[in-house]
Amino acid sequence: MAVRVTIKDVAKQANVAISTASRVINNSGYVSEDTRQRVEEAIKRLGYVPNSIARSLKWKQTFSIGLIVSDIGNPFYAELAQAVERAARERGYSVLLTNTDSKAAQERDCVGVLAAKQVDGIIWYSPINEELVDEVMENSRATVVVITGKEGHLGHHTIRIDDQLGAFEAVNHLISLGHTRIGYIAEPSDPKFPQERMKGYRRALAEAGLEFDESLVVRGTYQEGSGRKAIKVLLGLEERPTAVFCANDLMAIEAMQYARGVGLRIPEDLAVVGFDNTKLACLHGIDLTTVAQPTYEMGREGAKLLISSITKPLSPRQLLLRPSLVVRRSCGQYLKEGQR
Amino acid sequence: MAVRVTIKDVAKQANVAISTASRVINNSGYVSEDTRQRVEEAIKRLGYVPNSIARSLKWKQTFSIGLIVSDIGNPFYAELAQAVERAARERGYSVLLTNTDSKAAQERDCVGVLAAKQVDGIIWYSPINEELVDEVMENSRATVVVITGKEGHLGHHTIRIDDQLGAFEAVNHLISLGHTRIGYIAEPSDPKFPQERMKGYRRALAEAGLEFDESLVVRGTYQEGSGRKAIKVLLGLEERPTAVFCANDLMAIEAMQYARGVGLRIPEDLAVVGFDNTKLACLHGIDLTTVAQPTYEMGREGAKLLISSITKPLSPRQLLLRPSLVVRRSCGQYLKEGQR
DNA sequence: CTGTTAGCGCTTTCAT
DNA sequence: ATGAAAGCGCTAACAG
């Protein structure tokens, strides 16, 4: 555990004043070629690395950003973190990782630590305590970018996904494959979240001139067994749907398994499309066509927005990202392609 | 973006000297009850948060640790990171996250950044450039804990998994279920990694008095299709195995799918055990009995070891962690339980 | 072109 | 019990 070498050591070794050493380190001001060489040599010989802590104190900038997520162990957040880290690194920033474990008190803690560590900005996924965001903006140097499913948050930078568009495209795809009776295993209704996916489903039908049939919609719960229950209802209908769109992958997978269990072929007898594009969707034997959340992009754009806003304050931006349809086998498109 | 309030502001507000304010903030030295109150009030009123950067400069300790992984987007590392973050937080440390993307140059970069940011320690998963570890130890204040699959690294703290034990327990379990002809779809042979799982397989057989039959071992590659190819060979044997242990989950799953495809029932006709306990293993319809890597524990123990070693230098510790067998349906134990 | 100096926010002797 | 002052490592005027 060697003692840290400081700029003082470098200066002494090179026989110059500290400020001169500083000049060559920062490439600022005039330095004669000769002294520059001497200093650089000293730096190399001593293995000098500038102390960011001291620099930060002086600069009032740390080139660190904080990332607040509920749980980095969740692959979704992991992917987000990956994107954030990479975008940050490319711009010379480091990432301080904090987990809230979905607890408001811990979130407060995270914020406190990040403020104390003087991060230049924070990427904050889904604040639990919404007021806390404003509080932070007021009391700390940090800029904040919020990633969220909800609208609102107009006072600061925001990244949101266009759920409605995702659902629209999914259903549209099924329509383009010739389906006219398309079931929907819907997202739970939550007063806090408008049912954007449902809106997308309805819009796609409407634009195609198809009538909205309430009986084709079954509310799911995102919980185990919910997809199975729902598909059971839909398949029990007098005139059953030939395709079903599901508000998440898990329900879609359950629906497929149930349908297969009762002898239906996927996608010939029932086309299925999900939402999320979890790792499960691409598994052999599942091959679920699904709407992919642009997780990586959310992270990348969040970090980019944050850092550019640190560099040069921006008026609050609201970014809306597009999900994208990933076509696999469960929707049946490949059958059509085969026909050609 | 409020201007940061400093200890100076607090002191002025409370009408005391800076040093006095510091005393109450740090709970050090004597402070009269009266002044303490005044200062505390000022702190609250102003929303003062001590500047960790300044403290770090003074203390020569940052209470930050660095985490180096190849890719946080990978769920395995994500779980590791989760454990590290949690253990660190509990001890008052923050985590600086860095990705190497498996590139030696970037790894060097990570180390440089962490050194500059004066982290007190580093958790380093699988160094690409092994010499770099020693270099860091020499040139920086940071303590290092290496998490690795290999042996060696005796100069510093190390966390390793007992692969041999994991394999031993898996095979042992199959033996206890009555199997005597147990196939092994083995790990690829790599001169850098001793085949610990293979050793475990052989040891289990030996201890049970079963003969090692070379024809029951097929080398896999961890690549797609490898498990299928291997099981094909095993099932083609004159006297085919009634159980098969696989060096990872992916190969195990392929083996199961192939076996089912040729009409075998799992586990009645063929028992299967994997290694890794990936998310796939617990999927409905897969239900793979498998050896779980103690990922979380690795992270937690790593962070604990690191921090205690920061607090009080320790001679290099080599920790060996136990994997554990997760029993699901593919091994057939539940059949026996049913018999009772 | 180079050196001297003040100061970033904080802790910690050392006086008083 | 409190305050004054030095200094952590560095940068950035300011002089020369």
Side-chain angles (χ1 to χ4, degrees):
Chain A
M1 210 170 2
V3 164
R4 214 76 183 70
V5 7
T6 76
I7 196 173
K8 213 165 156 184
D9 303 316
V10 173
K12 196 183 297 174
Q13 174 80 217
N15 234 304
V16 294
I18 292 180
S19 51
T20 305
S22 174
R23 265 179 219 113
V24 357
I25 290 161
N26 294 286
N27 244 317
S28 65
Y30 298 100
V31 179
S32 77
E33 195 43 41
D34 182 53
T35 35
R36 148 157 287 122
Q37 295 251 325
R38 278 212 322 282
V39 172
E40 271 166 357
E41 215 168 299
I43 289 175
K44 192 167 285 174
R45 179 155 54 240
L46 299 173
Y48 170 74
V49 179
N51 182 327
S52 300
I53 295 292
R55 285 178 148 183
S56 298
L57 189 59
K58 185 76 198 170
W59 283 336
K60 293 160 172 283
Q61 246 221 292
T62 53
F63 292 93
S64 298
I65 63 177
L67 174 62
I68 306 183
V69 294
S70 65
D71 168 23
I72 188 66
N74 177 327
F76 174 81
Y77 294 117
E79 191 176 343
L80 195 82
Q82 177 192 42
V84 168
E85 197 273 344
R86 199 167 291 169
R89 145 193 313 285
E90 282 167 7
R91 290 162 180 76
Y93 283 75
S94 317
V95 176
L96 231 58
L97 175 69
T98 60
N99 275 242
T100 66
D101 291 335
S102 302
K103 295 188 195 116
Q106 199 167 316
E107 178 174 61
R108 205 173 194 96
D109 220 70
C110 291
V111 167
V113 170
L114 294 179
K117 297 238 160 153
Q118 310 291 116
V119 294
D120 299 333
I122 297 179
I123 300 214
W124 195 336
Y125 193 94
S126 252
I128 303 170
N129 179 350
E130 310 245 344
E131 293 80 50
L132 200 50
V133 181
D134 299 313
E135 215 177 300
V136 170
M137 300 286 284
E138 267 168 39
N139 295 313
S140 102
R141 292 174 37 261
T143 310
V144 175
V145 168
V146 170
I147 305 185
T148 171
K150 314 178 200 180
E151 292 191 82
H153 279 293
L154 263 57
H156 31 258
H157 303 300
T158 265
I159 310 258
R160 215 163 51 81
I161 314 303
D162 196 338
D163 271 5
Q164 185 183 142
L165 180 67
F168 175 81
E169 289 187 346
V171 176
N172 218 21
H173 183 70
L174 288 169
I175 292 171
S176 77
L177 293 174
H179 294 280
T180 54
R181 282 191 71 72
I182 301 173
Y184 179 38
I185 303 184
E187 67 267 47
S189 63
D190 177 338
K192 281 184 125 180
F193 293 81
Q195 294 193 275
E196 294 292 333
R197 297 179 191 181
M198 170 74 93
K199 284 189 205 155
Y201 168 75
R202 297 190 63 152
R203 187 155 66 84
L205 294 182
E207 291 196 7
L210 294 173
E211 210 179 321
F212 173 72
D213 178 349
E214 193 138 8
S215 69
L216 286 176
V217 174
V218 184
R219 178 96 51 216
T221 63
Y222 289 172
Q223 278 164 7
E224 215 185 305
S226 155
R228 200 167 28 78
K229 250 184 262 174
I231 192 69
K232 219 161 153 177
V233 173
L234 290 175
L235 294 180
L237 291 178
E238 188 91 9
E239 201 182 343
R240 75 159 179 85
T242 59
V244 60
F245 169 55
C246 309
N248 78 2
D249 281 358
L250 216 64
M251 297 196 298
I253 289 170
E254 287 186 7
M256 281 170 64
Q257 293 196 336
Y258 179 84
R260 284 198 175 117
V262 301
L264 294 177
R265 290 166 307 159
I266 311 280
E268 291 86 344
D269 302 322
L270 184 72
V272 177
V273 176
F275 204 115
D276 278 350
N277 196 29
T278 54
K279 305 270 167 194
L280 306 179
C282 61
L283 280 186
H284 224 65
I286 295 208
D287 286 312
L288 181 67
T289 293
T290 186
V291 179
Q293 301 228 42
T295 317
Y296 188 85
E297 211 185 338
M298 280 157 60
R300 202 189 57 224
E301 293 306 313
K304 279 169 62 178
L305 175 57
L306 180 62
I307 291 173
S308 62
S309 164
I310 288 170
T311 315
K312 175 181 154 174
L314 258 40
S315 60
R317 290 244 190 301
Q318 261 70 47
L319 236 70
L320 191 61
L321 293 183
R322 295 182 49 123
S324 64
L325 188 70
V326 178
V327 175
R328 296 202 182 85
R329 299 175 72 87
S330 70
C331 62
Q333 170 165 292
Y334 77 98
L335 296 172
K336 301 250 162 174
E337 283 167 349
Q339 281 178 6
R340 281 184 215 151
Chain B
M1 205 166 7
V3 165
R4 214 80 181 66
V5 6
T6 73
I7 196 174
K8 214 166 154 183
D9 304 315
V10 172
K12 198 183 298 176
Q13 175 81 216
N15 235 301
V16 296
I18 292 180
S19 49
T20 305
S22 174
R23 263 180 221 113
V24 359
I25 290 161
N26 295 284
N27 245 316
S28 63
Y30 297 100
V31 179
S32 76
E33 194 44 37
D34 181 52
T35 35
R36 146 158 288 120
Q37 295 250 323
R38 280 214 319 286
V39 172
E40 269 166 0
E41 214 169 300
I43 289 174
K44 193 169 282 175
R45 180 155 52 241
L46 298 173
Y48 170 74
V49 179
N51 183 326
S52 301
I53 296 292
R55 287 180 147 180
S56 297
L57 189 59
K58 186 74 198 173
W59 283 338
K60 293 159 175 285
Q61 247 221 293
T62 55
F63 292 95
S64 298
I65 63 176
L67 174 62
I68 306 182
V69 295
S70 65
D71 169 22
I72 187 68
N74 177 326
F76 173 80
Y77 294 117
E79 190 175 343
L80 194 83
Q82 179 192 41
V84 169
E85 198 273 344
R86 199 167 290 168
R89 143 191 317 284
E90 282 167 6
R91 291 162 180 76
Y93 283 75
S94 316
V95 176
L96 228 49
L97 174 69
T98 60
N99 275 243
T100 65
D101 290 334
S102 303
K103 294 188 195 114
Q106 199 166 316
E107 178 173 61
R108 213 182 184 90
D109 221 69
C110 293
V111 167
V113 171
L114 294 180
K117 297 238 159 151
Q118 310 291 118
V119 294
D120 300 334
I122 297 178
I123 300 214
W124 195 336
Y125 192 93
S126 250
I128 303 171
N129 179 349
E130 310 245 344
E131 291 82 49
L132 201 49
V133 181
D134 297 314
E135 217 178 299
V136 169
M137 299 285 285
E138 267 168 38
N139 294 312
S140 102
R141 293 174 33 262
T143 311
V144 176
V145 168
V146 170
I147 306 185
T148 173
K150 315 178 199 180
E151 292 191 80
H153 280 292
L154 263 58
H156 30 260
H157 303 300
T158 266
I159 310 259
R160 215 160 52 80
I161 314 304
D162 197 338
D163 271 3
Q164 186 184 142
L165 180 67
F168 174 81
E169 289 186 347
V171 176
N172 218 23
H173 183 70
L174 288 170
I175 292 171
S176 78
L177 292 174
H179 295 279
T180 54
R181 281 191 71 71
I182 301 172
Y184 179 38
I185 303 186
E187 68 267 48
S189 63
D190 178 338
K192 281 182 124 180
F193 293 80
Q195 294 192 275
E196 294 292 334
R197 297 179 191 182
M198 171 74 95
K199 283 189 206 153
Y201 168 75
R202 297 191 63 153
R203 186 156 64 84
L205 294 183
E207 291 195 6
L210 294 173
E211 208 179 324
F212 173 71
D213 176 350
E214 192 138 11
S215 70
L216 286 175
V217 174
V218 183
R219 177 98 50 217
T221 64
Y222 288 172
Q223 277 162 9
E224 216 186 303
S226 155
R228 199 166 29 77
K229 249 184 262 174
I231 191 70
K232 218 161 153 177
V233 173
L234 290 176
L235 294 181
L237 291 177
E238 187 90 9
E239 201 182 342
R240 75 160 178 83
T242 58
V244 60
F245 169 55
C246 308
N248 78 1
D249 281 358
L250 216 64
M251 298 195 299
I253 290 169
E254 287 185 6
M256 281 170 65
Q257 294 196 336
Y258 179 85
R260 285 199 174 115
V262 301
L264 294 178
R265 290 166 307 159
I266 311 281
E268 291 86 344
D269 302 323
L270 184 72
V272 177
V273 176
F275 203 116
D276 277 352
N277 196 29
T278 55
K279 305 270 164 191
L280 307 179
C282 59
L283 280 185
H284 223 65
I286 294 207
D287 287 311
L288 182 68
T289 292
T290 185
V291 179
Q293 302 227 39
T295 316
Y296 188 85
E297 211 185 337
M298 279 157 62
R300 201 189 60 225
E301 293 306 314
K304 279 169 62 178
L305 174 57
L306 180 62
I307 290 172
S308 62
S309 164
I310 287 170
T311 314
K312 176 181 156 173
L314 257 43
S315 60
R317 289 247 190 301
Q318 261 71 46
L319 235 71
L320 192 59
L321 292 184
R322 294 183 51 122
S324 64
L325 189 69
V326 178
V327 175
R328 297 203 181 84
R329 298 175 72 87
S330 70
C331 63
Q333 169 165 295
Y334 77 98
L335 295 173
K336 301 250 162 173
E337 284 168 350
Q339 282 177 7
R340 278 185 217 152

Short mmCIF file of all heavy atoms in Angstrom, two decimals, chain A residues 282-302:
data_model
loop_
_atom_site.label_atom_id
_atom_site.label_comp_id
_atom_site.label_asym_id
_atom_site.label_seq_id
_atom_site.Cartn_x
_atom_site.Cartn_y
_atom_site.Cartn_z
N CYS A 282 -37.21 -14.84 -25.78
CA CYS A 282 -36.42 -15.34 -26.88
C CYS A 282 -36.02 -16.80 -26.69
O CYS A 282 -35.30 -17.37 -27.49
CB CYS A 282 -35.20 -14.47 -27.09
SG CYS A 282 -34.11 -14.42 -25.68
N LEU A 283 -36.49 -17.40 -25.61
CA LEU A 283 -36.13 -18.79 -25.37
C LEU A 283 -36.66 -19.69 -26.48
O LEU A 283 -37.77 -19.51 -26.98
CB LEU A 283 -36.71 -19.28 -24.05
CG LEU A 283 -35.95 -18.88 -22.81
CD1 LEU A 283 -36.58 -19.57 -21.61
CD2 LEU A 283 -34.49 -19.26 -22.94
N HIS A 284 -35.85 -20.65 -26.81
CA HIS A 284 -36.25 -21.72 -27.68
C HIS A 284 -37.53 -22.33 -27.16
O HIS A 284 -37.64 -22.62 -25.98
CB HIS A 284 -35.15 -22.78 -27.66
CG HIS A 284 -34.84 -23.28 -29.01
ND1 HIS A 284 -34.31 -22.48 -29.99
CD2 HIS A 284 -35.01 -24.49 -29.56
CE1 HIS A 284 -34.15 -23.19 -31.07
NE2 HIS A 284 -34.56 -24.42 -30.85
N GLY A 285 -38.50 -22.49 -28.02
CA GLY A 285 -39.74 -23.11 -27.56
C GLY A 285 -40.73 -22.07 -27.08
O GLY A 285 -41.91 -22.34 -26.91
N ILE A 286 -40.28 -20.85 -26.87
CA ILE A 286 -41.20 -19.78 -26.49
C ILE A 286 -41.32 -18.85 -27.68
O ILE A 286 -42.39 -18.70 -28.25
CB ILE A 286 -40.73 -19.07 -25.22
CG1 ILE A 286 -40.79 -20.07 -24.07
CG2 ILE A 286 -41.57 -17.82 -24.96
CD1 ILE A 286 -41.00 -19.52 -22.70
N ASP A 287 -40.21 -18.28 -28.10
CA ASP A 287 -40.18 -17.49 -29.34
C ASP A 287 -41.34 -16.53 -29.44
O ASP A 287 -42.10 -16.53 -30.41
CB ASP A 287 -40.23 -18.44 -30.55
CG ASP A 287 -38.90 -19.13 -30.75
OD1 ASP A 287 -37.88 -18.45 -30.73
OD2 ASP A 287 -38.92 -20.37 -30.90
N LEU A 288 -41.44 -15.74 -28.43
CA LEU A 288 -42.58 -14.83 -28.33
C LEU A 288 -42.34 -13.51 -29.08
O LEU A 288 -41.35 -12.83 -28.85
CB LEU A 288 -42.83 -14.52 -26.85
CG LEU A 288 -43.99 -13.61 -26.52
CD1 LEU A 288 -45.32 -14.27 -26.86
CD2 LEU A 288 -43.95 -13.22 -25.05
N THR A 289 -43.25 -13.19 -29.95
CA THR A 289 -43.25 -11.86 -30.57
C THR A 289 -43.72 -10.89 -29.50
O THR A 289 -44.70 -11.14 -28.81
CB THR A 289 -44.22 -11.83 -31.75
OG1 THR A 289 -43.72 -12.66 -32.78
CG2 THR A 289 -44.36 -10.39 -32.28
N THR A 290 -42.99 -9.79 -29.34
CA THR A 290 -43.28 -8.94 -28.20
C THR A 290 -42.79 -7.52 -28.43
O THR A 290 -41.96 -7.27 -29.30
CB THR A 290 -42.64 -9.53 -26.92
OG1 THR A 290 -43.03 -8.77 -25.80
CG2 THR A 290 -41.12 -9.52 -27.02
N VAL A 291 -43.33 -6.62 -27.63
CA VAL A 291 -42.92 -5.22 -27.72
C VAL A 291 -41.75 -5.00 -26.78
O VAL A 291 -41.86 -5.22 -25.58
CB VAL A 291 -44.07 -4.29 -27.32
CG1 VAL A 291 -43.62 -2.84 -27.40
CG2 VAL A 291 -45.28 -4.54 -28.21
N ALA A 292 -40.63 -4.58 -27.33
CA ALA A 292 -39.43 -4.41 -26.51
C ALA A 292 -39.36 -3.01 -25.93
O ALA A 292 -39.51 -2.03 -26.64
CB ALA A 292 -38.19 -4.68 -27.36
N GLN A 293 -39.16 -2.96 -24.62
CA GLN A 293 -38.90 -1.67 -24.00
C GLN A 293 -37.49 -1.27 -24.38
O GLN A 293 -36.58 -2.08 -24.32
CB GLN A 293 -38.96 -1.80 -22.48
CG GLN A 293 -40.27 -2.31 -21.99
CD GLN A 293 -40.77 -1.45 -20.86
OE1 GLN A 293 -40.69 -0.23 -20.91
NE2 GLN A 293 -41.32 -2.08 -19.85
N PRO A 294 -37.29 -0.03 -24.71
CA PRO A 294 -35.95 0.40 -25.10
C PRO A 294 -35.09 0.70 -23.88
O PRO A 294 -34.66 1.82 -23.69
CB PRO A 294 -36.23 1.64 -25.93
CG PRO A 294 -37.48 2.21 -25.35
CD PRO A 294 -38.27 1.05 -24.83
N THR A 295 -34.90 -0.33 -23.07
CA THR A 295 -34.23 -0.16 -21.79
C THR A 295 -32.87 0.51 -21.94
O THR A 295 -32.55 1.48 -21.26
CB THR A 295 -34.02 -1.53 -21.13
OG1 THR A 295 -35.20 -2.28 -21.29
CG2 THR A 295 -33.67 -1.38 -19.68
N TYR A 296 -32.11 -0.08 -22.82
CA TYR A 296 -30.75 0.43 -22.99
C TYR A 296 -30.78 1.90 -23.42
O TYR A 296 -30.06 2.74 -22.90
CB TYR A 296 -30.01 -0.42 -24.03
CG TYR A 296 -28.56 -0.08 -24.14
CD1 TYR A 296 -27.64 -0.67 -23.28
CD2 TYR A 296 -28.10 0.84 -25.06
CE1 TYR A 296 -26.30 -0.35 -23.36
CE2 TYR A 296 -26.77 1.17 -25.16
CZ TYR A 296 -25.87 0.57 -24.30
OH TYR A 296 -24.55 0.91 -24.38
N GLU A 297 -31.68 2.16 -24.35
CA GLU A 297 -31.79 3.53 -24.86
C GLU A 297 -32.21 4.49 -23.75
O GLU A 297 -31.72 5.62 -23.68
CB GLU A 297 -32.83 3.53 -25.98
CG GLU A 297 -32.57 4.56 -27.04
CD GLU A 297 -33.72 4.58 -28.04
OE1 GLU A 297 -34.45 3.56 -28.13
OE2 GLU A 297 -33.90 5.61 -28.70
N MET A 298 -33.11 4.02 -22.89
CA MET A 298 -33.53 4.87 -21.79
C MET A 298 -32.34 5.29 -20.95
O MET A 298 -32.18 6.46 -20.60
CB MET A 298 -34.50 4.10 -20.89
CG MET A 298 -35.92 4.05 -21.41
SD MET A 298 -36.84 2.65 -20.73
CE MET A 298 -36.79 2.97 -18.99
N GLY A 299 -31.51 4.32 -20.65
CA GLY A 299 -30.33 4.61 -19.85
C GLY A 299 -29.39 5.54 -20.59
O GLY A 299 -28.88 6.51 -20.02
N ARG A 300 -29.17 5.23 -21.84
CA ARG A 300 -28.20 6.02 -22.60
C ARG A 300 -28.70 7.45 -22.76
O ARG A 300 -27.98 8.40 -22.49
CB ARG A 300 -27.97 5.40 -23.97
CG ARG A 300 -26.63 5.84 -24.56
CD ARG A 300 -26.49 5.40 -25.99
NE ARG A 300 -27.58 5.92 -26.80
CZ ARG A 300 -28.25 5.22 -27.70
NH1 ARG A 300 -27.95 3.94 -27.90
NH2 ARG A 300 -29.22 5.76 -28.41
N GLU A 301 -29.94 7.58 -23.18
CA GLU A 301 -30.48 8.92 -23.38
C GLU A 301 -30.55 9.69 -22.07
O GLU A 301 -30.31 10.89 -22.03
CB GLU A 301 -31.86 8.84 -24.03
CG GLU A 301 -31.84 8.30 -25.45
CD GLU A 301 -30.90 9.07 -26.34
OE1 GLU A 301 -30.94 10.32 -26.32
OE2 GLU A 301 -30.08 8.43 -27.04
N GLY A 302 -30.87 8.97 -21.01
CA GLY A 302 -30.91 9.61 -19.70
C GLY A 302 -29.56 10.19 -19.34
O GLY A 302 -29.44 11.35 -18.95
#
